Amino acid sequence: MIEKMTLQPTTGLRGDIRPPGDKSISHRSVMIGAIAEGVTEIDNFLSGEDCLATIRAFENMGVRVDGIGTSSIRVHGAGLDGLQEPGDVLDMGNSGTSMRLISGILAGQPFYSVLTGDSSLRSRPMNRIAEPLRLMGAQVYGRKGDMAPLTIVGGSLNPISYKTHVASAQIKSCILLAGLFVDGETTVIEPAESRDHTERMLRGFGAEVISQDLERKVKGRPKMSGHKITVPGDISSAAYFLAAAVLCRDSEVVIRNVGINPTRAGLLEALKAMGAQISLENYREESGEPVADLYASSSQLKGADFSGGLIVRMLDEIPLLAMASTQADGETKIRDAAELRVKETDRIAATVSELRKLGAQIEELDDGMIIAGGSKLEGGECESHGDHRMAMSLAVAGLISGEGTTIHNVTCVNTSFPGFWEMLSSL
Ligand code: S3P
């Protein structure tokens, strides 16, 4: 177990790397594979803590999974009606995606299940999924404010048409997955477009999902067949190397096989708007998802304002973007990002407090932050708050700090990126 890590100022990063498989797509490949007919073979699966929690949950419901712990797994689908009541509480660890998406599937099951997680997950809002699932007819019980542990007794569900209060792929996917168990059509309407991996993958398995503007409709009781899925590299993991290449002097890095789904690739748009030298080559499609190789090199950034739909497309990368903005010419303003407050930690408060410790000038807003450019990050001691994305963003900050940076509590990196430190050293 790695408790703390010290990063020294670095220039001249060079390398040709492949980030691990996409976390969101890995989760979905197991979940949908588990309720499809036949075997789903998954390559480049992300064997991080979060996705392993998803596998364990389905094993507890009688689904056989071969190759656990490797990046090539096989899920033996139980079909829409083949899951068994779990004999124990399902522990989702730190993974909000596991808890919220699996809840949708459990709402369709005529049995009793209880879901829990670590202290971070037990303090995150679950009313956002409990409310629509109750409207569909499932019984969902949680602690005050519908926090986990959650108990779900599902069964026969009604079709609903539901407008979500926030743009969230986890809420949308929860409802669409529950909709698979409904006789009829289930509709979700979002205020802005969130990542669409669930829609793409459901179609790949043979389900019918209709997308029109911000509305998604799924037809219930589809015939879904297992097949081979190759998971693209995770753009959220690639992001740290992209930022490192842009920020460290004399650097040039190639990051291969990165998923560039437009609902996920907001960071590329944002960094390019700030003047980063990033190019995309070798465009292709892998299991219904667009993929490319990214070339990034040292660049002088300029400050910019970010808000609206772009925020949703780069939500997990905002702590990193804020860190990069400290090196820009001029001020950067990030708004409409209040969702960051209910992630693995409050990522607005954590980004502001940790970057300040390293010497940044940064102001906290209710729904974002204002970052003064041109700050020299002196470095020093900082803390991940148990949040993998904070830990990795601070690691990149360490590379551009004046005197090196020690990050405490970095074991959490394993939730999404087990080989992160080795890949960083390889540059
Ligand atoms: C995810 C959706 C996002 C993202 C999370 C993964 C997903 O959460 O922050 O890391 O796989 O659906 P929200 O849907 O809550 O925005």
Side-chain angles (χ1 to χ4, degrees), residues 235 261-272 306 309-315 317 321:
I235 190 165
N261 180 322
T263 62
R264 280 289 293 288
L267 183 73
L268 299 179
E269 288 174 55
L271 286 177
K272 282 186 185 176
F306 301 112
L310 176 58
I311 298 292
V312 185
R313 300 197 294 278
M314 60 172 174
L315 200 60
E317 287 68 69
L321 182 67

Side-chain angles (χ1 to χ4, degrees), residues 37-113:
E37 305 281 343
V39 174
T40 294
E41 235 181 278
I42 310 164
D43 272 349
N44 202 32
F45 178 80
L46 172 66
S47 195
E49 293 297 333
D50 275 15
C51 298
L52 292 173
T54 287
I55 293 183
R56 275 195 299 275
F58 284 97
E59 282 191 306
N60 280 323
M61 292 189 274
V63 175
R64 191 175 129 201
V65 182
D66 304 328
I68 299 175
T70 74
S71 60
S72 270
I73 64 164
R74 283 163 66 87
V75 178
H76 296 259
L80 275 182
D81 302 308
L83 297 180
Q84 292 159 22
E85 182 173 86
D88 203 348
V89 172
L90 302 173
D91 188 352
M92 308 294 169
N94 190 242
S95 176
T97 307
S98 308
M99 183 167 286
R100 295 201 178 106
L101 271 60
I102 292 176
S103 292
I105 292 175
L106 291 173
Q109 310 307 314
F111 56 63
Y112 171 92
S113 46

